[in-house]
Amino acid sequence: MVYQPAAGARDLLPLDVAKKRWIEDRLQQVFHRWGYHRIITSTLERMDTLMAGEAIQRQMVIQLQNSEDDELGLRPELTASIARTVVTRMAGVTYPQRLYYNANVFRRTWESRHNRQQEFYQAGVELLGAGGLLANAEVLLLVADCLAALGLRQWHLILGEAGITRSLLNAFGANLQDKVRTAIAHLDRITIDTLPLSDELRDRARIMMDLRGPSAEVLEKVSSLQLDEQQQQAVNNLKSLVELLESEKQFSLILDLSLIQTIDYYTGIVFQVVNDTESQARILGQGGRYDQLLGLYHPQGENIPGIGFVLNIEDLYQVLLSTGQLPQTTPASNWLVVPETPSADAPAFAYAQKLRDSTHLVRVEMDLLRTDADTIRQYARDRGIAQIAWIKADGSPKIESLR
């Protein structure tokens, strides 16, 4: 139907936009304070770009018809697009590069619910060209600063380590690794109990499923799994990061080495930001380290370390609605300029422009309907306009305050 938006799409009215901008402006201020610069990538991407690193399932991409050979799709996330852009368009830059984005993404959903949402808004960062403890800590502390800027306090960080979790899965046979991984990701104890595993491997899988909770307890449990030297070093690195984060005391930290993201390009820490003020937990954002992703796009296959996160604007919006912080009305104009006669039209436009050119931002409307004075005043009151400038033919104003 021509009067309906496309399935899965939606329109944002001025008040919706004002609330969305309130969130985005505060996030952008934080990104700027931390030295990040905005990057804008194409909404359209080649399918082989989106599929690199198994970043997302093909059936989730909204694909477009194209007369040429390239398969095209609407971006379902931003990290792959930014990785492609940096290694192909920013050759020779000095690292680290601190980039942020604020954009819409698109994902096809197959749920039966009518008009299931397929367009989403996100804001996030990518820190490229820096690995190790300090880079990991910067990104996680930046997350905390973002949520503090929004006035959110009741949230916690769930922190995992994809490299450790994958290496622990190597103890299982190749034919069982995916099943064990899926069972752990979904906390499916029944599957673990029914898989053809030795008692030792079954115990190992159960321990891996329980590697969640206070950091000291989890680190102690994982150290009981007879780690090799490389695994132990990864655990030591994670311990150093946890100690640094907990010294800042900016958020509640839950260590979860059973946290396995559906996106496969993560190579180090992975994390989720979870709001816990409601009966049902809401994931506000997620992220992680991906040290091998950029090499998939680099002309010489050079790996460049990277780490980033995304915050889901809609989820932040829903949480913030209950706090009363979001704008309740659209911003009102400051002035209504009214030409008293047709011969005052040109002077009225000139006066309105003079107001707009003042040193601070003002919103100035022109009266366009030539109605009577009482109707004009009522319009101004309905719109929350504070002052009316009645302009005479000689350009002289008569100022009327409505407050």
Side-chain angles (χ1 to χ4, degrees):
M1 299 180 183
V2 295
Y3 53 84
Q4 295 286 352
R10 59 188 177 139
D11 305 312
L12 296 181
L13 303 182
L15 182 56
D16 300 319
V17 173
K19 294 178 178 180
K20 177 173 174 286
R21 283 290 304 273
W22 187 95
I23 297 171
E24 293 170 340
D25 288 349
R26 279 153 182 77
L27 294 178
Q28 180 174 277
Q29 290 169 14
V30 176
F31 297 153
H32 287 175
R33 287 198 297 266
W34 283 70
Y36 285 72
H37 299 272
R38 187 173 184 181
I39 186 170
I40 298 175
T41 61
S42 173
T43 306
L44 280 176
E45 285 285 1
R46 291 161 47 109
M47 287 298 294
D48 55 2
T49 297
L50 299 177
M51 294 297 101
E54 299 180 354
I56 200 162
Q57 296 175 327
R58 176 178 285 268
Q59 61 264 31
M60 293 183 67
V61 179
I62 299 175
Q63 298 186 52
L64 303 180
Q65 296 290 337
N66 186 28
S67 58
E68 301 178 5
D69 293 335
D70 288 342
E71 289 185 282
L72 301 178
L74 299 176
R75 62 188 179 205
E77 54 96 47
L78 270 295
T79 301
S81 297
I82 292 174
R84 171 195 57 76
T85 302
V86 168
V87 300
T88 59
R89 303 288 307 281
M90 298 174 65
V93 298
T94 301
Y95 287 103
Q97 283 290 308
R98 291 177 169 89
L99 305 172
Y100 80 89
Y101 57 87
N102 176 16
N104 54 348
V105 297
F106 305 86
R107 295 195 194 100
R108 186 186 303 280
T109 57
W110 300 102
E111 299 181 31
S112 58
R113 197 171 89 187
H114 176 66
N115 209 27
R116 181 71 176 177
Q117 184 177 344
Q118 297 186 96
E119 182 179 10
F120 306 87
Y121 295 95
Q122 298 183 337
V125 307
E126 310 295 347
L127 173 56
L128 306 177
L133 172 66
L134 292 181
N136 290 345
E138 172 171 318
V139 167
L140 294 174
L141 293 173
L142 175 52
V143 170
D145 204 5
C146 286
L147 298 186
L150 297 176
L152 295 179
R153 295 292 183 267
Q154 301 300 315
W155 64 276
H156 55 263
L157 181 78
I158 301 177
L159 177 64
E161 221 287 356
I164 294 175
T165 305
R166 284 202 186 94
S167 70
L168 293 176
L169 286 168
N170 290 336
F172 301 90
N175 60 323
L176 291 175
Q177 280 188 21
D178 285 344
K179 293 180 179 179
V180 173
R181 174 182 175 175
T182 300
I184 291 173
H186 293 91
L187 301 179
D188 183 0
R189 297 180 185 277
I190 295 176
T191 296
I192 294 298
D193 290 340
T194 57
L195 284 174
L197 299 170
S198 67
D199 290 343
E200 180 182 355
L201 287 178
R202 199 179 313 280
D203 288 342
R204 184 184 186 89
R206 288 169 178 162
I207 291 174
M208 289 179 63
M209 195 175 291
D210 290 333
L211 292 176
R212 175 188 173 98
S215 56
E217 294 179 11
V218 172
L219 291 170
E220 183 179 354
K221 284 181 182 178
V222 73
S223 296
S224 71
L225 293 174
Q226 298 180 343
L227 305 178
D228 60 30
E229 184 177 350
Q230 185 174 2
Q231 290 171 330
Q232 188 60 58
Q233 184 58 53
V235 170
N236 292 341
N237 292 340
L238 180 60
K239 181 180 179 182
S240 297
L241 175 62
V242 168
E243 290 174 348
L244 194 159
L245 296 175
E246 291 182 338
S247 70
E248 293 294 319
K249 301 185 185 305
Q250 292 192 30
F251 48 79
S252 169
L253 175 64
I254 297 173
L255 200 55
D256 184 2
L257 296 185
S258 68
L259 180 63
I260 302 175
Q261 299 279 33
T262 56
I263 294 178
D264 281 340
Y265 55 58
Y266 289 121
T267 57
I269 66 167
V270 291
F271 54 92
Q272 292 179 339
V273 179
V274 180
N275 173 64
D276 55 6
T277 58
E278 302 175 355
S279 57
Q280 182 178 3
R282 184 186 295 271
I283 298 176
L284 303 179
Q286 55 273 320
R289 174 163 289 283
Y290 47 88
D291 287 348
Q292 297 172 11
L293 179 65
L294 272 70
L296 300 176
Y297 305 104
H298 197 285
Q300 286 77 45
E302 178 184 348
N303 281 326
I304 299 170
I307 182 173
F309 69 80
V310 59
L311 294 172
N312 307 313
I313 300 298
E314 282 92 351
D315 291 299
L316 291 171
Y317 176 95
Q318 292 300 321
V319 171
L320 287 166
L321 276 178
S322 62
T323 69
Q325 297 183 82
L326 296 178
Q328 302 302 306
T329 59
T330 55
S333 294
N334 304 97
W335 289 87
L336 177 63
V337 176
V338 183
E340 292 188 342
T341 61
S343 58
D345 289 351
F349 274 109
Y351 188 83
Q353 191 59 42
K354 179 181 177 181
L355 292 173
R356 296 185 187 110
D357 289 341
S358 61
T359 55
H360 60 283
L361 174 64
V362 293
R363 291 181 171 87
V364 182
E365 295 185 24
M366 280 284 295
D367 175 63
L368 307 175
L369 302 181
R370 299 191 191 281
T371 54
D372 61 87
D374 287 341
T375 301
I376 290 171
R377 290 188 182 96
Q378 188 58 52
Y379 169 84
R381 291 189 183 95
D382 291 343
R383 300 276 290 179
I385 299 174
Q387 297 183 96
I388 301 177
W390 304 90
I391 307 300
K392 300 183 181 301
D394 62 1
S396 60
K398 176 185 176 183
I399 308 301
E400 179 179 353
S401 177
L402 298 181
R403 293 182 181 175

